[in-house]
Amino acid sequence: MAVNPSAIVIHVQRGQEGAAASDSPRTRKGVAILGATGSIGTSALRVLARQADRFTPVALTAHANVDALAAQVARWRPAFVGLVRGVVPRGSNWSSGAECLIAAATRDDVDIVLNAVVGAAGLPATLAALRAGKRVALANKETLVVAGSIVTALAAAHGGSLVPVDSEHSAILQCLAGRESHEVKRLVLTASGGPFRTWSADRIATATLADALKHPTWQMGSKITIDSATLANKALEVIEAHHLFGVPYDRIDVVVHPQSIIHSFVEFVDGSVLAQMGVPSMELPILFALTWPERVADNGVPQFDPVTLGTLTFEAVRTFDFPMLALGITAGQSGGSASAVYNAANEVAVEHFLAGRIMFGEIPLHVESALVALREMSGESLDALLAADAAARHHVNAQVGL
Ligand code: NDP
Ligand code: MG
């Protein structure tokens, strides 16, 4: 894809001026949480509980977990509730169907849309929110992997803003602090290495679901936990960083940092390197995405104490033993529909692994097979990208025999 190195943080800076949030006459900003019942969604509600004088959740959505959503509704009394699949409670005014995400994201009383849906299913709501000029606090990295150029162009065109929730990208945003693109030499994303960091390649190939779900440093939803074990998550994050900050792929590196204390680095052209550190809690980047460019006091995150942290270590990635990383970065570099295919094939392969239908070591084989089979598919428009996404899902399902 054509790269515009001058685009670093332009997308987010533009949003600062035009975001609906800053124009709101309300004293508290209205937040729509898409994926409220998930790991990021529930962390966000804990942040909002502490920041109740600044923010209020006016819309909450879930996929199918009626009970968890009903408990949140009882606690927060949001104006809008959406359930994508399943039966809404009798007598409730909940909305249903996939369109409820868009309805939640575009409401007049919503200033900030926290997109914490998992997978490409989050894309339409991001697009709708940006078209409506909202701030999107983006946890749903798949949005940028499927349609990064379209999404960042929309953010720029309608005065909306895109602020990352992903801890690495939040770290980079904080380190960049508005520096010019020509001052940046390299972005370095840190990776915990996941549960198989020290395992042999043979052992990784036959790892069980229980092994793969044991993430050493983060508590997260099951899909991203498996992505962290394969290192697909880091490939998704390299693509996400490329689109968010406009940095070419050959200036984005990954280093393994098992303690997850340094969330990423920015190396500047004069050789100076800035890093952002903090205890591994997603509540920090969630709050920053809501308040950026300001910082507000928050007493919810454990005190940072360097003395008790122990030693911080860094290692090179074992690229050969974790093929999902290079497959994803190559897909990003290839442009067109490749990263949409990579993402969709990975989503389906992970579903099959979670359901016990394929082995851990088969995930990259299915993804690579989809990338090869669909390499000619166009990525020229949103419709073309969605067609590539659908074809990749079909390809992997057919390989698995479904
Ligand atoms: P979870 O699986 O814990 O939660 C996903 C949420 O999205 C749930 O509320 C779920 O509803 C809802 N959901 C699932 N599928 C759909 C769908 N098809 N349409 C609408 N809603 C849906 O995921 P996480 O919170 O871990 O991750 C969410 C996003 O944030 C992902 O993109 C992930 O990569 C990203 N992220 C997560 C981090 C983390 O620490 N967890 C860190 C950085 C990024 P229900 O409960 O009803 O199933
Ligand atoms: Mg991350």
Side-chain angles (χ1 to χ4, degrees), residues 141 165-169 189-190 218 220 224 228 233-234 237 240 263 282:
K141 62 192 89 185
V165 167
D166 220 345
S167 55
E168 296 77 0
H169 306 74
L189 275 67
T190 52
W218 297 97
M220 308 180 286
I224 185 176
S228 300
N233 183 52
K234 215 44 60 178
E237 291 183 354
E240 180 185 9
H263 299 304
M282 286 308 295

mmCIF file with all atom_site columns, all heavy atoms in Angstrom, residues 141 165-169 189-190 218 220 224 228 233-234 237 240 263 282, ligand 2:
data_model
loop_
_atom_site.group_PDB
_atom_site.id
_atom_site.type_symbol
_atom_site.label_atom_id
_atom_site.label_alt_id
_atom_site.label_comp_id
_atom_site.label_asym_id
_atom_site.label_entity_id
_atom_site.label_seq_id
_atom_site.pdbx_PDB_ins_code
_atom_site.Cartn_x
_atom_site.Cartn_y
_atom_site.Cartn_z
_atom_site.occupancy
_atom_site.B_iso_or_equiv
_atom_site.pdbx_formal_charge
_atom_site.auth_seq_id
_atom_site.auth_comp_id
_atom_site.auth_asym_id
_atom_site.auth_atom_id
_atom_site.pdbx_PDB_model_num
ATOM   1   N  N   . LYS A 1 141 ? -9.222 -3.964  17.217 1.00 0.00 ? 141 LYS A N   1
ATOM   2   C  CA  . LYS A 1 141 ? -8.123 -3.747  16.254 1.00 0.00 ? 141 LYS A CA  1
ATOM   3   C  C   . LYS A 1 141 ? -8.455 -4.309  14.882 1.00 0.00 ? 141 LYS A C   1
ATOM   4   O  O   . LYS A 1 141 ? -7.952 -3.848  13.862 1.00 0.00 ? 141 LYS A O   1
ATOM   5   C  CB  . LYS A 1 141 ? -6.824 -4.347  16.792 1.00 0.00 ? 141 LYS A CB  1
ATOM   6   C  CG  . LYS A 1 141 ? -6.830 -5.842  17.013 1.00 0.00 ? 141 LYS A CG  1
ATOM   7   C  CD  . LYS A 1 141 ? -5.613 -6.298  17.811 1.00 0.00 ? 141 LYS A CD  1
ATOM   8   C  CE  . LYS A 1 141 ? -5.883 -6.260  19.298 1.00 0.00 ? 141 LYS A CE  1
ATOM   9   N  NZ  . LYS A 1 141 ? -4.761 -6.554  20.156 1.00 0.00 ? 141 LYS A NZ  1
ATOM   10  N  N   . VAL A 1 165 ? -7.115 1.916   22.089 1.00 0.00 ? 165 VAL A N   1
ATOM   11  C  CA  . VAL A 1 165 ? -7.209 1.352   23.442 1.00 0.00 ? 165 VAL A CA  1
ATOM   12  C  C   . VAL A 1 165 ? -6.119 0.294   23.634 1.00 0.00 ? 165 VAL A C   1
ATOM   13  O  O   . VAL A 1 165 ? -5.634 0.097   24.746 1.00 0.00 ? 165 VAL A O   1
ATOM   14  C  CB  . VAL A 1 165 ? -8.620 0.740   23.664 1.00 0.00 ? 165 VAL A CB  1
ATOM   15  C  CG1 . VAL A 1 165 ? -8.657 -0.130  24.921 1.00 0.00 ? 165 VAL A CG1 1
ATOM   16  C  CG2 . VAL A 1 165 ? -9.669 1.853   23.750 1.00 0.00 ? 165 VAL A CG2 1
ATOM   17  N  N   . ASP A 1 166 ? -5.741 -0.362  22.562 1.00 0.00 ? 166 ASP A N   1
ATOM   18  C  CA  . ASP A 1 166 ? -4.703 -1.390  22.640 1.00 0.00 ? 166 ASP A CA  1
ATOM   19  C  C   . ASP A 1 166 ? -3.502 -0.804  23.382 1.00 0.00 ? 166 ASP A C   1
ATOM   20  O  O   . ASP A 1 166 ? -3.045 0.316   23.070 1.00 0.00 ? 166 ASP A O   1
ATOM   21  C  CB  . ASP A 1 166 ? -4.300 -1.785  21.198 1.00 0.00 ? 166 ASP A CB  1
ATOM   22  C  CG  . ASP A 1 166 ? -4.079 -3.278  21.068 1.00 0.00 ? 166 ASP A CG  1
ATOM   23  O  OD1 . ASP A 1 166 ? -3.948 -3.960  22.098 1.00 0.00 ? 166 ASP A OD1 1
ATOM   24  O  OD2 . ASP A 1 166 ? -4.055 -3.760  19.920 1.00 0.00 ? 166 ASP A OD2 1
ATOM   25  N  N   . SER A 1 167 ? -2.961 -1.537  24.353 1.00 0.00 ? 167 SER A N   1
ATOM   26  C  CA  . SER A 1 167 ? -1.965 -0.945  25.252 1.00 0.00 ? 167 SER A CA  1
ATOM   27  C  C   . SER A 1 167 ? -0.705 -0.495  24.497 1.00 0.00 ? 167 SER A C   1
ATOM   28  O  O   . SER A 1 167 ? -0.129 0.547   24.824 1.00 0.00 ? 167 SER A O   1
ATOM   29  C  CB  . SER A 1 167 ? -1.587 -1.935  26.350 1.00 0.00 ? 167 SER A CB  1
ATOM   30  O  OG  . SER A 1 167 ? -1.156 -3.153  25.801 1.00 0.00 ? 167 SER A OG  1
ATOM   31  N  N   . GLU A 1 168 ? -0.308 -1.263  23.472 1.00 0.00 ? 168 GLU A N   1
ATOM   32  C  CA  . GLU A 1 168 ? 0.904  -0.897  22.734 1.00 0.00 ? 168 GLU A CA  1
ATOM   33  C  C   . GLU A 1 168 ? 0.710  0.419   21.983 1.00 0.00 ? 168 GLU A C   1
ATOM   34  O  O   . GLU A 1 168 ? 1.606  1.267   21.923 1.00 0.00 ? 168 GLU A O   1
ATOM   35  C  CB  . GLU A 1 168 ? 1.274  -1.996  21.724 1.00 0.00 ? 168 GLU A CB  1
ATOM   36  C  CG  . GLU A 1 168 ? 1.651  -3.339  22.342 1.00 0.00 ? 168 GLU A CG  1
ATOM   37  C  CD  . GLU A 1 168 ? 0.465  -4.161  22.824 1.00 0.00 ? 168 GLU A CD  1
ATOM   38  O  OE1 . GLU A 1 168 ? -0.698 -3.700  22.680 1.00 0.00 ? 168 GLU A OE1 1
ATOM   39  O  OE2 . GLU A 1 168 ? 0.689  -5.251  23.358 1.00 0.00 ? 168 GLU A OE2 1
ATOM   40  N  N   . HIS A 1 169 ? -0.467 0.574   21.406 1.00 0.00 ? 169 HIS A N   1
ATOM   41  C  CA  . HIS A 1 169 ? -0.731 1.762   20.581 1.00 0.00 ? 169 HIS A CA  1
ATOM   42  C  C   . HIS A 1 169 ? -1.005 2.974   21.458 1.00 0.00 ? 169 HIS A C   1
ATOM   43  O  O   . HIS A 1 169 ? -0.638 4.096   21.100 1.00 0.00 ? 169 HIS A O   1
ATOM   44  C  CB  . HIS A 1 169 ? -1.871 1.459   19.620 1.00 0.00 ? 169 HIS A CB  1
ATOM   45  C  CG  . HIS A 1 169 ? -1.577 0.212   18.824 1.00 0.00 ? 169 HIS A CG  1
ATOM   46  N  ND1 . HIS A 1 169 ? -1.652 -1.028  19.404 1.00 0.00 ? 169 HIS A ND1 1
ATOM   47  C  CD2 . HIS A 1 169 ? -1.134 0.036   17.556 1.00 0.00 ? 169 HIS A CD2 1
ATOM   48  C  CE1 . HIS A 1 169 ? -1.271 -1.939  18.507 1.00 0.00 ? 169 HIS A CE1 1
ATOM   49  N  NE2 . HIS A 1 169 ? -0.962 -1.313  17.388 1.00 0.00 ? 169 HIS A NE2 1
ATOM   50  N  N   . LEU A 1 189 ? 7.021  -2.432  19.035 1.00 0.00 ? 189 LEU A N   1
ATOM   51  C  CA  . LEU A 1 189 ? 5.920  -2.966  19.824 1.00 0.00 ? 189 LEU A CA  1
ATOM   52  C  C   . LEU A 1 189 ? 6.456  -4.081  20.717 1.00 0.00 ? 189 LEU A C   1
ATOM   53  O  O   . LEU A 1 189 ? 7.203  -4.946  20.244 1.00 0.00 ? 189 LEU A O   1
ATOM   54  C  CB  . LEU A 1 189 ? 4.830  -3.556  18.913 1.00 0.00 ? 189 LEU A CB  1
ATOM   55  C  CG  . LEU A 1 189 ? 3.794  -2.591  18.359 1.00 0.00 ? 189 LEU A CG  1
ATOM   56  C  CD1 . LEU A 1 189 ? 4.418  -1.621  17.391 1.00 0.00 ? 189 LEU A CD1 1
ATOM   57  C  CD2 . LEU A 1 189 ? 2.666  -3.350  17.677 1.00 0.00 ? 189 LEU A CD2 1
ATOM   58  N  N   . THR A 1 190 ? 6.061  -4.059  21.974 1.00 0.00 ? 190 THR A N   1
ATOM   59  C  CA  . THR A 1 190 ? 6.454  -5.160  22.844 1.00 0.00 ? 190 THR A CA  1
ATOM   60  C  C   . THR A 1 190 ? 5.396  -6.264  22.787 1.00 0.00 ? 190 THR A C   1
ATOM   61  O  O   . THR A 1 190 ? 4.213  -6.003  22.556 1.00 0.00 ? 190 THR A O   1
ATOM   62  C  CB  . THR A 1 190 ? 6.639  -4.694  24.299 1.00 0.00 ? 190 THR A CB  1
ATOM   63  O  OG1 . THR A 1 190 ? 5.469  -3.984  24.723 1.00 0.00 ? 190 THR A OG1 1
ATOM   64  C  CG2 . THR A 1 190 ? 7.853  -3.810  24.434 1.00 0.00 ? 190 THR A CG2 1
ATOM   65  N  N   . TRP A 1 218 ? -1.850 -11.225 30.936 1.00 0.00 ? 218 TRP A N   1
ATOM   66  C  CA  . TRP A 1 218 ? -3.101 -10.489 30.711 1.00 0.00 ? 218 TRP A CA  1
ATOM   67  C  C   . TRP A 1 218 ? -4.307 -11.421 30.827 1.00 0.00 ? 218 TRP A C   1
ATOM   68  O  O   . TRP A 1 218 ? -4.259 -12.554 30.372 1.00 0.00 ? 218 TRP A O   1
ATOM   69  C  CB  . TRP A 1 218 ? -3.132 -9.881  29.305 1.00 0.00 ? 218 TRP A CB  1
ATOM   70  C  CG  . TRP A 1 218 ? -2.084 -8.843  29.002 1.00 0.00 ? 218 TRP A CG  1
ATOM   71  C  CD1 . TRP A 1 218 ? -0.899 -9.050  28.365 1.00 0.00 ? 218 TRP A CD1 1
ATOM   72  C  CD2 . TRP A 1 218 ? -2.132 -7.444  29.299 1.00 0.00 ? 218 TRP A CD2 1
ATOM   73  N  NE1 . TRP A 1 218 ? -0.215 -7.868  28.239 1.00 0.00 ? 218 TRP A NE1 1
ATOM   74  C  CE2 . TRP A 1 218 ? -0.943 -6.860  28.815 1.00 0.00 ? 218 TRP A CE2 1
ATOM   75  C  CE3 . TRP A 1 218 ? -3.076 -6.614  29.940 1.00 0.00 ? 218 TRP A CE3 1
ATOM   76  C  CZ2 . TRP A 1 218 ? -0.655 -5.502  28.931 1.00 0.00 ? 218 TRP A CZ2 1
ATOM   77  C  CZ3 . TRP A 1 218 ? -2.785 -5.259  30.060 1.00 0.00 ? 218 TRP A CZ3 1
ATOM   78  C  CH2 . TRP A 1 218 ? -1.589 -4.716  29.566 1.00 0.00 ? 218 TRP A CH2 1
ATOM   79  N  N   . MET A 1 220 ? -7.876 -11.827 29.295 1.00 0.00 ? 220 MET A N   1
ATOM   80  C  CA  . MET A 1 220 ? -8.550 -11.251 28.124 1.00 0.00 ? 220 MET A CA  1
ATOM   81  C  C   . MET A 1 220 ? -9.585 -12.239 27.608 1.00 0.00 ? 220 MET A C   1
ATOM   82  O  O   . MET A 1 220 ? -9.656 -13.379 28.058 1.00 0.00 ? 220 MET A O   1
ATOM   83  C  CB  . MET A 1 220 ? -7.529 -10.988 27.003 1.00 0.00 ? 220 MET A CB  1
ATOM   84  C  CG  . MET A 1 220 ? -6.331 -10.179 27.444 1.00 0.00 ? 220 MET A CG  1
ATOM   85  S  SD  . MET A 1 220 ? -5.138 -9.893  26.118 1.00 0.00 ? 220 MET A SD  1
ATOM   86  C  CE  . MET A 1 220 ? -4.376 -11.493 25.959 1.00 0.00 ? 220 MET A CE  1
ATOM   87  N  N   . ILE A 1 224 ? -8.612 -13.215 21.630 1.00 0.00 ? 224 ILE A N   1
ATOM   88  C  CA  . ILE A 1 224 ? -7.319 -12.504 21.689 1.00 0.00 ? 224 ILE A CA  1
ATOM   89  C  C   . ILE A 1 224 ? -6.300 -13.301 22.500 1.00 0.00 ? 224 ILE A C   1
ATOM   90  O  O   . ILE A 1 224 ? -5.095 -13.223 22.249 1.00 0.00 ? 224 ILE A O   1
ATOM   91  C  CB  . ILE A 1 224 ? -7.474 -11.048 22.221 1.00 0.00 ? 224 ILE A CB  1
ATOM   92  C  CG1 . ILE A 1 224 ? -6.138 -10.316 22.157 1.00 0.00 ? 224 ILE A CG1 1
ATOM   93  C  CG2 . ILE A 1 224 ? -8.059 -10.977 23.577 1.00 0.00 ? 224 ILE A CG2 1
ATOM   94  C  CD1 . ILE A 1 224 ? -6.175 -8.856  22.562 1.00 0.00 ? 224 ILE A CD1 1
ATOM   95  N  N   . SER A 1 228 ? -2.738 -14.269 21.093 1.00 0.00 ? 228 SER A N   1
ATOM   96  C  CA  . SER A 1 228 ? -1.485 -13.951 21.782 1.00 0.00 ? 228 SER A CA  1
ATOM   97  C  C   . SER A 1 228 ? -0.589 -15.181 21.842 1.00 0.00 ? 228 SER A C   1
ATOM   98  O  O   . SER A 1 228 ? 0.637  -15.058 21.833 1.00 0.00 ? 228 SER A O   1
ATOM   99  C  CB  . SER A 1 228 ? -1.760 -13.456 23.200 1.00 0.00 ? 228 SER A CB  1
ATOM   100 O  OG  . SER A 1 228 ? -2.546 -12.293 23.142 1.00 0.00 ? 228 SER A OG  1
ATOM   101 N  N   . ASN A 1 233 ? -1.835 -11.950 17.283 1.00 0.00 ? 233 ASN A N   1
ATOM   102 C  CA  . ASN A 1 233 ? -2.207 -10.661 17.878 1.00 0.00 ? 233 ASN A CA  1
ATOM   103 C  C   . ASN A 1 233 ? -1.159 -9.594  17.563 1.00 0.00 ? 233 ASN A C   1
ATOM   104 O  O   . ASN A 1 233 ? -1.503 -8.443  17.279 1.00 0.00 ? 233 ASN A O   1
ATOM   105 C  CB  . ASN A 1 233 ? -2.382 -10.822 19.391 1.00 0.00 ? 233 ASN A CB  1
ATOM   106 C  CG  . ASN A 1 233 ? -2.839 -9.542  20.048 1.00 0.00 ? 233 ASN A CG  1
ATOM   107 O  OD1 . ASN A 1 233 ? -3.815 -8.934  19.628 1.00 0.00 ? 233 ASN A OD1 1
ATOM   108 N  ND2 . ASN A 1 233 ? -2.129 -9.093  21.075 1.00 0.00 ? 233 ASN A ND2 1
ATOM   109 N  N   . LYS A 1 234 ? 0.116  -9.993  17.588 1.00 0.00 ? 234 LYS A N   1
ATOM   110 C  CA  . LYS A 1 234 ? 1.161  -8.988  17.339 1.00 0.00 ? 234 LYS A CA  1
ATOM   111 C  C   . LYS A 1 234 ? 1.163  -8.570  15.873 1.00 0.00 ? 234 LYS A C   1
ATOM   112 O  O   . LYS A 1 234 ? 1.423  -7.425  15.548 1.00 0.00 ? 234 LYS A O   1
ATOM   113 C  CB  . LYS A 1 234 ? 2.516  -9.539  17.774 1.00 0.00 ? 234 LYS A CB  1
ATOM   114 C  CG  . LYS A 1 234 ? 3.471  -8.534  18.351 1.00 0.00 ? 234 LYS A CG  1
ATOM   115 C  CD  . LYS A 1 234 ? 2.897  -7.537  19.352 1.00 0.00 ? 234 LYS A CD  1
ATOM   116 C  CE  . LYS A 1 234 ? 2.284  -8.121  20.587 1.00 0.00 ? 234 LYS A CE  1
ATOM   117 N  NZ  . LYS A 1 234 ? 1.791  -7.099  21.548 1.00 0.00 ? 234 LYS A NZ  1
ATOM   118 N  N   . GLU A 1 237 ? -1.463 -6.154  15.490 1.00 0.00 ? 237 GLU A N   1
ATOM   119 C  CA  . GLU A 1 237 ? -1.062 -4.878  16.096 1.00 0.00 ? 237 GLU A CA  1
ATOM   120 C  C   . GLU A 1 237 ? -0.064 -4.110  15.225 1.00 0.00 ? 237 GLU A C   1
ATOM   121 O  O   . GLU A 1 237 ? -0.062 -2.876  15.224 1.00 0.00 ? 237 GLU A O   1
ATOM   122 C  CB  . GLU A 1 237 ? -0.482 -5.122  17.493 1.00 0.00 ? 237 GLU A CB  1
ATOM   123 C  CG  . GLU A 1 237 ? -1.566 -5.575  18.456 1.00 0.00 ? 237 GLU A CG  1
ATOM   124 C  CD  . GLU A 1 237 ? -1.088 -5.762  19.881 1.00 0.00 ? 237 GLU A CD  1
ATOM   125 O  OE1 . GLU A 1 237 ? 0.128  -5.657  20.142 1.00 0.00 ? 237 GLU A OE1 1
ATOM   126 O  OE2 . GLU A 1 237 ? -1.942 -6.022  20.739 1.00 0.00 ? 237 GLU A OE2 1
ATOM   127 N  N   . GLU A 1 240 ? -2.226 -2.555  12.724 1.00 0.00 ? 240 GLU A N   1
ATOM   128 C  CA  . GLU A 1 240 ? -2.961 -1.479  13.409 1.00 0.00 ? 240 GLU A CA  1
ATOM   129 C  C   . GLU A 1 240 ? -2.065 -0.240  13.573 1.00 0.00 ? 240 GLU A C   1
ATOM   130 O  O   . GLU A 1 240 ? -2.485 0.895   13.280 1.00 0.00 ? 240 GLU A O   1
ATOM   131 C  CB  . GLU A 1 240 ? -3.408 -2.004  14.786 1.00 0.00 ? 240 GLU A CB  1
ATOM   132 C  CG  . GLU A 1 240 ? -4.190 -1.013  15.631 1.00 0.00 ? 240 GLU A CG  1
ATOM   133 C  CD  . GLU A 1 240 ? -4.488 -1.555  17.047 1.00 0.00 ? 240 GLU A CD  1
ATOM   134 O  OE1 . GLU A 1 240 ? -3.959 -2.622  17.432 1.00 0.00 ? 240 GLU A OE1 1
ATOM   135 O  OE2 . GLU A 1 240 ? -5.258 -0.892  17.764 1.00 0.00 ? 240 GLU A OE2 1
ATOM   136 N  N   . HIS A 1 263 ? 5.098  -0.956  27.513 1.00 0.00 ? 263 HIS A N   1
ATOM   137 C  CA  . HIS A 1 263 ? 4.004  -1.288  26.586 1.00 0.00 ? 263 HIS A CA  1
ATOM   138 C  C   . HIS A 1 263 ? 4.353  -1.012  25.138 1.00 0.00 ? 263 HIS A C   1
ATOM   139 O  O   . HIS A 1 263 ? 3.624  -1.460  24.257 1.00 0.00 ? 263 HIS A O   1
ATOM   140 C  CB  . HIS A 1 263 ? 2.723  -0.581  27.037 1.00 0.00 ? 263 HIS A CB  1
ATOM   141 C  CG  . HIS A 1 263 ? 2.325  -1.029  28.410 1.00 0.00 ? 263 HIS A CG  1
ATOM   142 N  ND1 . HIS A 1 263 ? 2.120  -2.357  28.713 1.00 0.00 ? 263 HIS A ND1 1
ATOM   143 C  CD2 . HIS A 1 263 ? 2.166  -0.354  29.574 1.00 0.00 ? 263 HIS A CD2 1
ATOM   144 C  CE1 . HIS A 1 263 ? 1.829  -2.476  29.989 1.00 0.00 ? 263 HIS A CE1 1
ATOM   145 N  NE2 . HIS A 1 263 ? 1.859  -1.279  30.539 1.00 0.00 ? 263 HIS A NE2 1
ATOM   146 N  N   . MET A 1 282 ? -5.608 -3.068  31.551 1.00 0.00 ? 282 MET A N   1
ATOM   147 C  CA  . MET A 1 282 ? -6.218 -2.380  30.410 1.00 0.00 ? 282 MET A CA  1
ATOM   148 C  C   . MET A 1 282 ? -6.997 -1.146  30.855 1.00 0.00 ? 282 MET A C   1
ATOM   149 O  O   . MET A 1 282 ? -7.388 -0.319  30.039 1.00 0.00 ? 282 MET A O   1
ATOM   150 C  CB  . MET A 1 282 ? -7.115 -3.335  29.631 1.00 0.00 ? 282 MET A CB  1
ATOM   151 C  CG  . MET A 1 282 ? -6.365 -4.357  28.803 1.00 0.00 ? 282 MET A CG  1
ATOM   152 S  SD  . MET A 1 282 ? -5.107 -3.630  27.718 1.00 0.00 ? 282 MET A SD  1
ATOM   153 C  CE  . MET A 1 282 ? -6.111 -2.664  26.591 1.00 0.00 ? 282 MET A CE  1
HETATM 154 MG MG  . MG  B 2 .   ? -2.158 -5.208  22.661 1.00 0.00 ? 2   MG  B MG  1
#
